[in-house]
Amino acid sequence: MDRARQNSPAIELRGITKTFESVVANHNINLSLNRGEILALLGENGSGKTTLMNILAGIYKPDCGSIFIDGEPVVIHSPEDANKHGIGMIHQHFKLVDVHTATDNIILGNKGTGLWLKPSRRQRIKELSERYHLHIDPDKKVYNMSVSEKQTVEILKVLYRGADILILDEPTAVLTPQEITKLFEILRHMRDHGCAIIIITHKLGEVMEISDRVTILRKGESVATVNTAETDIHALTELMVGKTVELSIECPERKHKGNLLEIHHLTVSNEEGVDAIQDVSFDLNKGEILGVAGLAGSGQKELCETIAGLIRPREGAILYKNENIVGKSPADIIKIGISMSFIPEDRLGMGLAASLSMVDNMLLKSYHKGRGPILQRKDARVLAESLVERLEIVTPSVETPVRRLSGGNVQKVLLGREIESNPNVLITAYPVRGLDINSSYTIYEAINQQKEKGVGVLFIGEDLDVMLELCDRIMVLCHGRVTGIVNAHETTKEALGLLMTDAANKKEDAE
């Protein structure tokens, strides 16, 4: 790319506004992105980041405002228009055909490609791979690829279509630390070749590592754009939230002795009859936070649901005071002394009744304790109102159906209800997914409070930095098997990343 275009504005957004009925997602936003630059787009959930990028990608049309590409005004009405202007978006959830090869996926959807893979197309893919250090087996089927390989194919897809302005939505959400390092190397190569790159992320450490500038959105408005080298994590957090937030996670010493649950040789089949969990053994202690780390689909969901009594294992035992609770009903489990709370990944499908209000969802946990045929809603209402205040839940009313709340607020309702039921075992899957930074730290504090009460917490998470600070031990799953259980304060992200891909064990076997 010639030097005249390098470090010149690739994109300018002026006065972009987008509303959905009464909700203002973007209001009068100004943003610029230079060629040869990586810009991080930062903001709390609901701040308008994804809406703004979907406007650039042609998925939404702005209500008003202007878009300029290389100084020329353009109108983007569709993803096809975005492609014509060299804009490509890599979504968090990949859009690949599993049974096709990398090459097939790269050329699919291109006009005039025809049915056959011409030598010139394969040569074009090879040239792009070499230029940007995007190493991929062109004949490998998607279903045999790792997550990072799939992401590489997605990047090659947009480059093959001629994109030199790239938008990546939460690109590191499901990557190991090693894969993140590799992705950042790729992005730096692309930047050095003149590409303009926007990254939507919530991981502040990664913002500081990879970006040149940061644009911060708050409540649908752009509040600042800063040079990364001239700021720090605390300043960025304050710009995002609008106030100072303490960014330390406490990990109080474990005060309670003894264990709560012993899991022995657990094997669980999924809906397709394939073993999702294979010969898993571990124990959960009183007053302990046991983290569970692993790439998506490593068996976390099945493990949670089995311990919660929703799935019956094919083999194995779950012992409480030497009594096997496998096959027992929730009522029987309560009778033998286990008060279990489960916060599933599927908030509305499994955790809450979407059409019911906060008050009625509180009742779902406690109605069986009442006497007589008439439900008493008073205590449930008091609890709902208390949670709204304590967790800063944004809702028109505690009688509003929870399906009308944002994802983050739904998560607060669910977690608040489960913690307030005074469990001695708490199983929580991705408890801060969808929450802003301020709310996330409120949740970490609430989980620590449970720990200090002697509750055993099984914490399924995806942010390894958080798990290293919050948890006492971390169990790593890979393809349904335990590859290691480590002390959280005696390990590193890199070591966990190796266990998540079973590379550490393979290395030992080789030696």
Side-chain angles (χ1 to χ4, degrees), residues 92-111:
Q92 184 176 349
H93 303 290
F94 305 140
K95 302 179 186 301
L96 300 172
V97 182
D98 279 359
V99 297
H100 285 180
T101 64
T103 301
D104 292 335
N105 274 279
I106 290 165
I107 68 168
L108 276 174
N110 283 277
K111 286 190 175 182

Side-chain angles (χ1 to χ4, degrees), residues 293-337:
L295 296 175
S298 293
Q300 300 96 318
K301 178 177 181 289
E302 290 79 8
L303 177 64
C304 288
E305 293 181 9
T306 302
I307 296 174
L310 301 176
I311 298 177
R312 184 158 187 160
R314 188 163 61 77
E315 295 177 11
I318 302 172
L319 304 183
Y320 175 74
K321 294 182 178 179
N322 294 321
E323 184 171 354
N324 190 2
I325 66 171
V326 168
K328 294 186 181 296
S329 69
D332 289 335
I333 291 174
I334 291 171
K335 285 178 184 177
I336 65 172

